[in-house]
């Protein structure tokens, strides 16, 4: 049985932990979260620090905390195991991205990039060489953005790299698309706060040589950063990484 660990014990992390325990596909060694006071989650030990010895023997580390945690652990963990990050905005740091690639190649480990709150990331990646223009528009209730706007407000419009710096917890979709497609500087982002909605909506438009995609994803928001679809997506991505028998979309 594969042995995995989680970095982050929030909504997405707990959804995946419950899913893994129910499926019996893996053993969860620990959850790293220095902000949790619980001694365990679902019977899984919570730790406030991670030593190298705890990474040895793992088959996978799953990050579902924030971009700073990715930066803290990614290269270090790749010496011992595979890594699946959900905080894609960490990859706006070119040095981190290149360092992670080098470490993965040196130690023979994988960086699994989940599609998170969007659809079609694999198609964007496959067609990236022909893409010439990519735009991403996100519309959320102000509460999901940590704001209290009373009317429809465009918060940002410009290159995705700056969007990920301004709203690192809210634009992981933008970062994932930039990473899969034409990069953080060429991809264009628009972030809107709309008090009339209770969903997280992402509108993605891609054009290129003989290619045009429009993707619209809308997921009910329960007031936080994460929409209803994302935990389902996260569990699906984890299933594909852990493997098993049956149908498999690739």
């Amino acid at each position: 049985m594969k042995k995995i660990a989680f970095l982050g014990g929030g909504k997405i992390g707990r959804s995946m932990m419950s899913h893994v325990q129910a499926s019996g596909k893996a053993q969860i060694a620990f959850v790293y979260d220095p902000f949790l006071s619980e001694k365990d989650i679902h019977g899984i030990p919570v730790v406030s620090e991670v030593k190298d010895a705890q990474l040895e023997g793992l088959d996978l580390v799953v990050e579902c905390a924030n971009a700073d945690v990715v930066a803290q652990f990614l290269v270090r963990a790749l010496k011992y195991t595979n890594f699946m990050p959900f905080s894609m905005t960490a990859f706006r740091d070119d040095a981190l991205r290149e360092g992670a690639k080098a470490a993965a190649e040196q130690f023979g480990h994988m960086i699994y990039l989940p599609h998170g709150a969007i659809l079609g990331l694999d198609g964007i990646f496959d067609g990236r060489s022909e893409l010439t223009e990519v735009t991403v528009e996100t519309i959320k209730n102000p509460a999901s953005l940590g704001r209290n706007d009373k009317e429809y407000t465009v918060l940002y419009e410009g290159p995705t790299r700056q969007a990920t710096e301004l709203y690192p917890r809210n634009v992981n979709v933008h970062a994932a698309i930039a990473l899969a497609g034409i990069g953080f500087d060429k991809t264009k982002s628009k972030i809107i706060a709309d008090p009339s909605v209770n969903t997280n909506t992402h509108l993605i438009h891609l054009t290129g040589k003989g290619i045009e995609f429009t993707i619209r994803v809308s997921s009910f928001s329960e007031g936080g950063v994460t929409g209803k679809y994302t935990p389902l997506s996260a569990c699906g991505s984890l299933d594909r990484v852990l493997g098993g028998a049956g149908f498999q979309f690739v």
Side-chain angles (χ1 to χ4, degrees):
M1 182 179 290
K2 292 184 178 179
K3 190 175 181 181
I4 66 178
F6 287 86
L7 306 178
K11 179 180 179 181
I12 296 177
R14 292 186 190 220
S15 295
M16 284 189 284
M17 290 176 223
S18 295
H19 181 73
V20 168
Q21 289 181 317
S23 68
K25 282 190 173 183
Q27 174 189 353
I28 305 174
F30 63 85
V31 182
Y32 165 78
D33 196 321
F35 302 105
L36 286 178
S37 58
E38 295 101 321
K39 293 182 179 178
D40 60 64
I41 300 176
H42 303 306
I44 305 160
V46 177
V47 301
S48 58
E49 63 176 336
V50 179
K51 298 179 180 178
D52 284 12
Q54 292 170 280
L55 297 172
E56 292 187 68
L58 294 177
D59 295 290
L60 179 69
V61 169
V62 181
E63 175 278 325
C64 39
N66 56 57
D68 290 339
V69 172
V70 177
Q72 180 183 352
F73 283 98
L74 178 56
V75 174
R76 178 183 165 203
L78 285 169
K79 296 178 182 179
Y80 305 99
T81 186
N82 304 310
F83 198 96
M84 184 163 72
F86 279 85
S87 300
M88 296 291 197
T89 55
F91 293 107
R92 68 179 180 270
D93 184 335
D94 296 334
L96 174 66
R97 188 172 66 250
E98 294 308 312
K101 285 182 182 178
E105 292 174 2
Q106 179 181 353
F107 297 102
H109 290 127
M110 291 292 297
I111 305 166
Y112 295 104
L113 302 174
H115 64 91
I118 58 170
L119 310 175
L121 199 62
D122 55 342
I124 296 171
F125 183 76
D126 290 344
R128 66 193 183 283
S129 64
E130 301 301 307
L131 295 174
T132 56
E133 183 178 348
V134 178
T135 62
V136 190
E137 179 179 308
T138 288
I139 306 168
K140 293 186 176 185
N141 185 279
S144 294
L145 293 158
R147 298 171 58 89
N148 60 357
D149 301 89
K150 303 304 181 186
E151 59 185 24
Y152 183 100
T153 306
V154 177
L155 303 178
Y156 175 79
E157 190 167 9
T160 295
R161 189 181 298 276
Q162 188 175 356
T164 62
E165 294 170 356
L166 294 172
Y167 298 95
R169 297 180 66 238
N170 288 279
V171 295
N172 282 304
V173 164
H174 298 238
I177 291 168
L179 194 61
I182 59 176
F184 284 81
D185 296 313
K186 293 182 180 179
T187 305
K188 304 303 179 187
S189 292
K190 188 174 183 179
I191 306 166
I192 298 166
D194 185 350
S196 71
V197 304
N198 60 0
T199 54
N200 295 340
T201 299
H202 309 286
L203 303 171
I204 303 115
H205 189 72
L206 310 99
T207 57
K209 302 171 185 176
I211 298 173
E212 184 173 1
F213 299 158
T214 299
I215 303 167
R216 183 183 187 275
V217 181
S218 188
S219 179
F220 177 74
S221 171
E222 297 174 337
V225 173
T226 303
K228 192 173 184 68
Y229 170 70
T230 307
L232 302 174
S233 162
C235 291
S237 293
L238 185 55
D239 281 345
R240 285 185 287 278
V241 172
L242 293 176
F247 288 98
Q248 178 68 69
F249 289 96
V250 298

